[in-house]
Amino acid sequence: LGPIDTEESFARTLGVKYDLYYDGNGEFLVATGLNAFPVTLIIDNGVIIHQTGRLSAEQLDVYLQELLT
Protein backbone atom coordinates (compact mmCIF):
# COMPACT_ATOMS: atom_id res chain seq x y z
CA LEU A 1 0.00 0.00 0.00
CA GLY A 2 1.11 3.53 -0.57
CA PRO A 3 1.43 6.13 2.17
CA ILE A 4 -1.43 8.48 2.81
CA ASP A 5 -1.21 11.92 1.24
CA THR A 6 -0.19 13.66 4.48
CA GLU A 7 2.75 11.30 5.06
CA GLU A 8 3.80 11.48 1.43
CA SER A 9 3.70 15.27 1.43
CA PHE A 10 5.64 15.51 4.70
CA ALA A 11 8.34 13.15 3.46
CA ARG A 12 8.72 15.00 0.15
CA THR A 13 8.99 18.33 2.02
CA LEU A 14 11.97 16.83 3.87
CA GLY A 15 13.55 15.77 0.58
CA VAL A 16 12.76 12.05 0.80
CA LYS A 17 12.93 10.60 -2.71
CA TYR A 18 12.58 6.87 -2.07
CA ASP A 19 9.28 4.99 -2.11
CA LEU A 20 7.32 4.92 1.14
CA TYR A 21 5.36 1.93 2.38
CA TYR A 22 2.20 2.21 4.45
CA ASP A 23 1.18 -0.93 6.34
CA GLY A 24 -2.43 0.03 6.95
CA ASN A 25 -3.59 -3.35 8.21
CA GLY A 26 -0.43 -4.39 10.09
CA GLU A 27 0.27 -7.32 7.78
CA PHE A 28 3.93 -6.39 7.38
CA LEU A 29 4.41 -5.99 11.14
CA VAL A 30 3.00 -9.44 11.77
CA ALA A 31 5.04 -11.03 8.97
CA THR A 32 8.32 -9.51 10.18
CA GLY A 33 7.67 -9.71 13.93
CA LEU A 34 8.41 -6.00 14.41
CA ASN A 35 7.25 -4.63 17.73
CA ALA A 36 9.39 -1.57 18.45
CA PHE A 37 9.57 1.85 16.87
CA PRO A 38 11.22 3.64 15.28
CA VAL A 39 12.59 0.92 13.05
CA THR A 40 14.87 1.15 10.03
CA LEU A 41 15.08 -1.78 7.65
CA ILE A 42 17.80 -2.08 5.04
CA ILE A 43 16.38 -4.28 2.29
CA ASP A 44 18.33 -5.81 -0.59
CA ASN A 45 16.50 -7.73 -3.30
CA GLY A 46 13.44 -8.12 -1.09
CA VAL A 47 15.41 -9.47 1.90
CA ILE A 48 15.89 -7.60 5.18
CA ILE A 49 19.67 -7.51 5.56
CA HIS A 50 19.84 -5.14 8.53
CA GLN A 51 17.39 -3.93 11.14
CA THR A 52 17.99 -1.14 13.61
CA GLY A 53 16.18 1.72 15.29
CA ARG A 54 16.55 5.42 14.62
CA LEU A 55 19.47 6.38 12.42
CA SER A 56 21.23 9.65 11.83
CA ALA A 57 21.84 10.70 8.24
CA GLU A 58 25.50 9.78 8.70
CA GLN A 59 24.68 6.29 10.00
CA LEU A 60 22.25 5.69 7.14
CA ASP A 61 24.91 6.80 4.67
CA VAL A 62 27.34 4.21 6.06
CA TYR A 63 24.80 1.40 5.62
CA LEU A 64 23.92 2.52 2.12
CA GLN A 65 27.56 2.85 1.06
CA GLU A 66 28.21 -0.70 2.29
CA LEU A 67 25.21 -1.93 0.33
CA LEU A 68 26.30 -0.16 -2.85
CA THR A 69 29.88 -1.43 -2.81
Side-chain angles (χ1 to χ4, degrees):
L1 298 172
I4 60 174
D5 292 339
T6 304
E7 295 164 334
E8 182 82 25
S9 177
F10 178 72
R12 300 305 173 227
T13 299
L14 294 174
V16 171
K17 296 179 181 174
Y18 50 82
D19 292 335
L20 302 178
Y21 177 77
Y22 180 71
D23 186 26
N25 61 6
E27 183 178 331
F28 182 77
L29 289 178
V30 171
T32 58
L34 294 173
N35 60 7
F37 295 95
V39 65
T40 302
L41 303 174
I42 309 294
I43 301 172
D44 185 21
N45 293 317
V47 177
I48 298 171
I49 60 171
H50 188 78
Q51 177 180 333
T52 188
R54 174 179 279 178
L55 291 177
S56 67
E58 293 79 18
Q59 291 168 315
L60 180 58
D61 189 52
V62 169
Y63 285 120
L64 294 177
Q65 290 303 318
E66 289 175 3
L67 182 62
L68 297 173
T69 56

